[in-house]
Amino acid sequence: MKQKCGEKMAVSADYIAVIDSGVGGISVLRELVRLMPKERYLYFGDSANAPYGTKSAEEVISMTDATVKRLMARGIKALVVACNTATAVAIHMLREKYPDFIIIGIEPALKPAVNRFPQSTVGIMATPVTLRGEKLKRLIAANPHPDIRLIPAPGLVELVEAGLANSPQMDAFLTPVLGPFVGKLDGLVLGCTHYPFATAAIRRILGNTTVLFDGGEGTARQTQRRLSDAGLLYDGPGCVVFENSLDDPHIYKLCESLMEENYG
Ligand code: DGL
């Protein structure tokens, strides 16, 4: 698939916009491209303002609002909020503001984790904003389970943004976060789109027995369903355009490598 980086181009109504606080949403973009390779994608990462997950809900709402307003003005056919943090606090605002528009928001893949491990311990690792949000409380209430552990990981996003997703620094960061759970978790929900890129480091600490769940694939399937129902599927040629608020060659290099590298 053709990829373009950092070229500000006019976007037509054929494009699906995919947004995140930074490069993390590329883990969702990969699933979208795998499922719908004939679509055109505009990926916008707000790396200049990342991380969102340690900011106030009001700040995240205002940053998400500004990004979406700019994208809507350029003409897109659907919006995928590939950021659990922005979905947690801003998805209602977006749906109220653009009621007729296709808007899909990722949320932690708790349901498949609870279905697979109904009795044994399941962890949800996510940003502080996601973990304290009402949306997650409702998701947990809808998927009752006797032993869910909430695992905040502030600082992980910054390492992924710095290109250190699979590095000794990531291992050093994750050891105190996940060390207490070694041998105790059957499932771990990766409730932030940056975290799948740290899969290798997570496995080095937790081993291979903990099953990892992330919401990327489910979000891609839901996007396909909504586009198909609206008769808006595009028949190629597919492409991906990367834009980022940092507008720096390093960030575009990172976008390309996260898009292509095997992180499992
Ligand atoms: N990737 C985002 C998420 O899924 C946001 C991380 C952040 O900026 O803190 O939550």
Side-chain angles (χ1 to χ4, degrees), residues 25 144 177 235:
V177 175
D235 197 23

Side-chain angles (χ1 to χ4, degrees), residues 20-21 51-53 83-85 127 157 192-194:
D20 180 46
S21 65
Y52 281 8
C83 175
N84 292 269
T85 306
T127 69
V157 166
C192 166
T193 55
H194 282 72

